[in-house]
Amino acid sequence: MSNAYATTDQLVSAESNIYDRGLDTAIALSVVGFMLGFVTLVNLVPPGASGSTLTTAFGTLLAVVVGAVGITSLASYANVVPVTSQRVRGVGLGLVVSTLALTAFATALPVTMATLLGIMLLAEALAITAAGVSSRLELVDAEPNMSAGLLSGGALGVIGLVMGAAVGGALTGFGSRLWLGGAAVAGVGLFLLTILPREDLGSTLPTAIVVGALGLTIVTGTIGVGWQWNPQTLSGGFTGGAVIPVFLLSGMLLSAWSAAKCRAGFGARGREYGAFLVINLNAFLMVAVMATIVVFVTVKGAGYAVHGLTVGALTALVLLTPALLVAVKFARTPAGTNDWNSGARQLFRVLPLAAVGALAAMFASVLVTGSPLRYVYDYTVQVNRQGKTLDTAVAVTPDTTIGTLLLTALAMVLAVAFFRSFGSLRKVGVQSERARLIRRAVPTVVLVFVMLSTLFLVLGPAPFGLPLGGTLGFAAVVGGAVAASGLVVYPLAGVLTSDEPTLADSAQREAPLFTLGVFGGLGLLLATLLLQPVAGINPQVGPVNLVPVIALGAAVASLALVALTTVAKRSSEETITRRVLAEERRLGLVGAAGFTALLGLHVAVTSTSFTVLGVSVANKGSISWPMVMEAYIPLGAEPGGIMPAIIGTVWLVIGATLFAVPLGVGAAVFLTEYAEQGRFTAVVETATNALWSTPSIVFGLFGAAFLIPRLGGDESLLTGMLVLGFMLLPLVLITSRESIKAVPDEYRDASAALGVTQWETIKSVVLPAAMPGVITGVILGVGRIAGETAPLILVLGSTLNAKAGVNVIDGFQFVSEPPFIVNDALMTASASLPTQVWAVIAAGVSGSPQMGWATAFILLMVVLTFYAVGIMARTYFRRKLNYE
Amino acid sequence: MTDDITTKKGKSVSSRDRVDGATYAVVTIALTLAVTIFAFLFLPAIALPMLLAFVFVTAVGWVTYQAEVARILTLIATVLTVLTVGFITFFLFARALPAFLDHGLDLLLVPEQDNGESRWFFWLESVLPSDSTFWNPLSGAYSLIPMIWGTVVVTIIAGAVAGPLGLFGALFISEVASDRLREIIKPGVEILAGIPSIVYGFIGFQVLNGFIQTNFLDDGASFLIAGLVVGVMALPTVVSVGEDALSSVPQSMGDGSVAMGATEWQTMKSISIPAAFSGISAAVILGLGRAIGETMAVAAIMASGTQFADPLFDIFHANTTLTSLIATQYGSASESTVEVLFVAGVMLFVIVASMSIVAQYIERRMQRKLKGQQ
């Protein structure tokens, strides 16, 4: 909350005595017990475990605890994450002590897990009683109230009722009504015992009785490992394997609360500590559940999902480039706060860089030595309803082929990223007359090229029977490519031949050449490149393919510019010059990335691979990921993958977004900017909120009743898109409305004061300001609908083992009668990730659970990626808004 | 638009012309759209050409009268959104109507007994074992009562999980956690909400059903597991809405309590929670709505069963719920069964929508109250 709690720090850092230390250990023991309860509940360690199994389990636990506490205390000692609270320190120490004691116990005595858990409960009961009694006898310093309060009394009374009923029922049977008596006695007894005595006894004795009773039941074997209770009336029953962990979970929660109360000396502060401990344990539980789900699905599905994944080492290196840049940026981020000075913290900044560097070195070593990096494992497939184990491996091969899609996309992303960090070089340096002339000429030439391309596109490469493509087009491509290379070399030559005294000065003087060279060269080469496929040519000079060679040369030249400016910047002292040189360097990086992208684009549009120095760029890259890139292979040795489902999900998401986003944003603009705020907007808002919480299956029913009869009468991809779009619509509307509302009215007023019309204000002031919120909302919403299943199985069906993906782009056809455009791909059912998982379930014994896990894993990763990106975008925009 | 607009070339265009042009554009756009919608409703074959005409007219209008066209487009978007809500309501009810007319209240009754009459359903009555078949499309037995009961049981268990845990989670995020911890936990809860329901269902189907067989001597699927899983799924809703409610309690109220010497927990217990109580109950209502509407996890865990549990509170029994009935039966259902399924859909829609509206009403009232306008 606020600074009003500053005193809490002083309180908790007071020196602790033996009573405090003991209770800290008791709290720690209950936390350990709570965790062990889960461990036994999920049968990670069965309750009946004993001997070496038990010793191993506790050894592992000890290692984990000692490691975690050790690292934390090291961090605290090094002042990275200072831990000042004596309570936290005490609990940390207690964790180590109690796990040590438990491990010793498990090694020394011939006990089972269940008995040990029972002993833990008994120890807790003893510790709490001792604490309560010593406080009552005024042996320690505490401030108990007169009573533990009705809230605690009520809670313990309910626990007493349940226990009394169970014990009474077990002794007399549930047939007679005697168990009611037992329940009443125990409930009322515990209630009175809680509220009547002073708080120190009232909040310890009843808990100690409950926890002790639970412990005794386990230790004496009344409820042992093999215990079963199967009431005739129920279709299920209870076993020791389930009941003992539940006992432990509830008992430990209770004793943790009680011990925490004692530790803080009862009274208001004791209650606070107790309540906070329970709240913290609950939060820990939620995070643990989430982590368990994700980890579990990963463990179950990842092996199958990445079977046969091979990547060429060079491709892997290309993939690493963005990570490398991000790591560099992270390491360079200046320290923002004052306490950002210790060496340990700086270490954390460079750790990612070191990790990426190590990975890159590993891939490079594969390239150098030529021996692949393989991780060999096996996975299980389902053949004739039987599991069959296959060997597979994840490998990095010394393959030097790079796929065009990957290269172009990554290079483009990098180019855009560099361009965004590039500011401007306008009005820097001196522009020569010749440069000005060329600057004017470049756009004209590009325009001519574009017109030529359009001509060829419309009339074909040989219009009116004239072989223009092979002649005029050829000449244009060669000329354009050569001119582009000239443009890129121009700044390099200009700087090197300049007669300024230093390199830095000449680089600053020739700044106009930099922009001209990089942007002009990029534009001209792009226009040239696009002329090739429409003119049907691919100029070769001898064995050399002209355009990619020039693109490569231009990339190298741009890198040379980078090197040149870096050298110049090192030698320069003047701030302005250094700034200009930094800008020029960024420009050089834009050029390098951009020309690399053009190289990839060339190979993509001409389908001719390009090889230089053993590295080749080809349309078919060296990534092979069967699960994602192949369809199901019936009766094959390998199971293939789920490519159709992935493509289906991609199209569903695209279609839904295209439908919902314009509609939602438009409606939000109208409701917030144009409409009178009143009853109508309130009703629409309520309706959209109601629509948002409408069960997804209802959307499926709606799609089946409304859309399917109107869209071909059968399950189809288009219906799926629209139904998901309907689901996405309310979220887009709600978030867009919120972010438009959040734009301050001052913006609108200022714009209006400048005489700008309402629509212009909305377009250029309100929407740009609201865009971050809208984008975040859309990303999160898309994450939700990407995993949506229920409506899809009504409107899209569920296909197991689809053998081909839908081809929407090639599916468009023009016909002469209404509706003039048809797309069969959109009108047929398709596989999708969520329905594929459902199909595995619905197939029963003939479904392959391994493939189901793998599909679920991929689906989870897709959805979580959307969420992670959405949340990161929100954090990024919020920080930007707050600090800039 | 009262003055004449002077163009760059010095020619003046009467504002009247412009208004007329804009009006024409707007009217044409609205007309083509209306025709498109009608075409889609009654003559789907020509809907696409009409849609293209609409797009063309809009594009032309956008170039000439951008401001006016933008306005009408946003209005159209609003109207379409409202229409969507209307269509959903209308078509659900329209498809469910035949079943209502055919079966009437039979859908909510215990089916025919010995004397050939269907009986009114009384909860007490069904505590006693009943042998009548509730759901059998082949013999025309359509009673939704067991499914409603299944939904109720699953929702109760889910509420018992999501309610207290969600309240504690909301308290943790809004009051207890340090800023840094909050930055981690809050997105964590959101991600928990993002895990697709089919993934939960798959875990339940593959793992938890086996778990309950060994540990609770059950024969497989059960309300208990379905309820627990749905509870975990509803948890994020409760946490985030409850957290919003707790954070909307003005800081000054808590500060006042602290100034009086109260501890943080006392402040929470006696100030924050009572002040945000209605918001927290709205959170629980929304969470329960989520639990009622949850389909895939329940359908994956409990795929079959159309009879009552005996006794009613037997949480180890398995039964379809309203949602999973639709999901599992729709594909193979005959026309008359489909109509009954639409009745189930209408029930879900009405219940969950009204829960949402109630929750919104409660939230708004609380906001008004906390802002001191009441």
Side-chain angles (χ1 to χ4, degrees), chain A residues 4-5 41 233 235 237 239 272 276 280 282 290 663 666 670 686 689 693 704 706 710 726 759 763 849 863 874, chain B residues 40-41 66 75 91 165 168-169 172 188 190 194 211 215-216 258 263-265 268 310-311 314 330 352 356 360:
Chain A
Y5 298 109
L41 186 66
T233 47
S235 17
T239 62
E272 172 171 286
F276 277 22
N280 275 301
N282 174 65
M290 191 195 78
L663 220 53
F670 182 82
T686 311
N689 278 331
S693 45
F706 176 67
R710 289 172 175 75
F726 286 134
W759 165 242
K763 195 171 69 172
V863 172
R874 190 179 53 199
Chain B
F40 188 67
L41 284 177
Q66 202 185 55
L75 175 64
F91 277 91
L165 292 191
F168 277 139
F172 180 80
E190 265 178 280
F211 166 80
N215 278 333
F216 288 96
V258 171
T263 61
E264 259 179 280
W265 168 242
M268 248 184 257
D310 178 30
D314 181 4
Y330 192 88
V352 177
S356 160
Q360 288 179 57

Side-chain angles (χ1 to χ4, degrees), chain B residues 50-336:
Chain B
M50 286 318 298
L51 186 68
L52 291 180
F54 163 71
V55 170
F56 178 74
V57 172
T58 315
V60 171
W62 182 264
V63 177
T64 46
Y65 304 103
Q66 202 185 55
E68 290 83 358
V69 170
R71 190 178 170 133
I72 185 84
L73 280 184
T74 58
L75 175 64
I76 285 172
T78 315
V79 170
L80 282 183
T81 310
V82 175
L83 269 187
T84 307
V85 181
F87 279 159
I88 289 179
T89 321
F90 175 75
F91 277 91
L92 276 182
F93 277 93
R95 280 303 296 275
L97 192 63
F100 267 128
L101 296 179
D102 278 3
H103 306 286
L105 284 170
D106 284 3
L107 293 171
L108 298 177
L109 300 179
V110 178
E112 277 184 19
Q113 298 300 300
D114 301 335
N115 54 10
E117 294 260 314
S118 47
R119 278 189 321 176
W120 270 98
F121 176 81
F122 294 110
W123 293 114
L124 283 176
E125 219 170 17
S126 113
V127 174
L128 308 165
S130 162
D131 293 333
S132 48
T133 308
F134 289 90
W135 178 269
N136 186 357
L138 293 179
S139 68
Y142 292 118
S143 176
L144 291 173
I145 282 291
M147 293 78 192
I148 294 176
W149 179 244
T151 303
V152 169
V153 174
V154 170
T155 310
I156 288 175
I157 299 175
V161 173
L165 292 191
L167 170 62
F168 277 139
L171 274 179
F172 180 80
I173 292 179
S174 73
E175 313 262 332
V176 178
S178 64
D179 285 348
R180 199 191 302 171
L181 211 53
R182 188 178 303 134
E183 289 287 305
I184 299 170
I185 302 262
K186 233 180 132 173
V189 170
E190 265 178 280
I191 287 180
L192 194 63
I195 298 175
S197 60
I198 188 74
V199 173
Y200 281 104
F202 198 71
I203 295 176
F205 172 72
Q206 288 284 346
V207 183
L208 298 180
N209 280 354
F211 166 80
I212 199 159
Q213 282 171 23
T214 52
N215 278 333
F216 288 96
L217 311 170
D218 196 9
D219 48 359
S222 69
F223 283 131
L224 180 65
I225 287 299
L228 288 178
V229 169
V230 173
V232 172
M233 298 179 65
L235 189 57
T237 311
V238 182
V239 172
S240 51
V241 181
E243 194 257 328
D244 282 347
L246 283 168
S247 325
S248 68
V249 175
Q251 176 92 45
S252 53
M253 287 171 80
D255 285 351
S257 159
V258 171
M260 300 291 287
T263 61
E264 259 179 280
W265 168 242
Q266 282 172 328
T267 310
M268 248 184 257
K269 200 177 60 175
S270 322
I271 306 290
S272 304
I273 296 181
F277 183 77
S278 44
I280 294 169
S281 51
V284 174
I285 292 176
L286 282 178
L288 290 182
R290 188 85 215 271
I292 291 176
E294 181 42 52
T295 314
M296 292 325 292
V298 179
I301 294 169
M302 308 188 296
S304 60
T306 46
Q307 292 294 328
F308 265 110
D310 178 30
L312 274 181
F313 55 83
D314 181 4
I315 53 171
F316 297 109
H317 187 79
N319 202 346
T320 46
T321 60
L322 284 174
T323 48
S324 66
L325 182 78
I326 302 173
T328 51
Q329 305 261 326
Y330 192 88
S332 56
S334 66
E335 188 55 28
S336 54

Side-chain angles (χ1 to χ4, degrees), chain A residues 395-409:
Chain A
V396 179
T397 57
D399 194 333
T400 51
T401 315
I402 305 174
T404 47
L405 184 66
L406 179 76
L407 185 70
T408 317

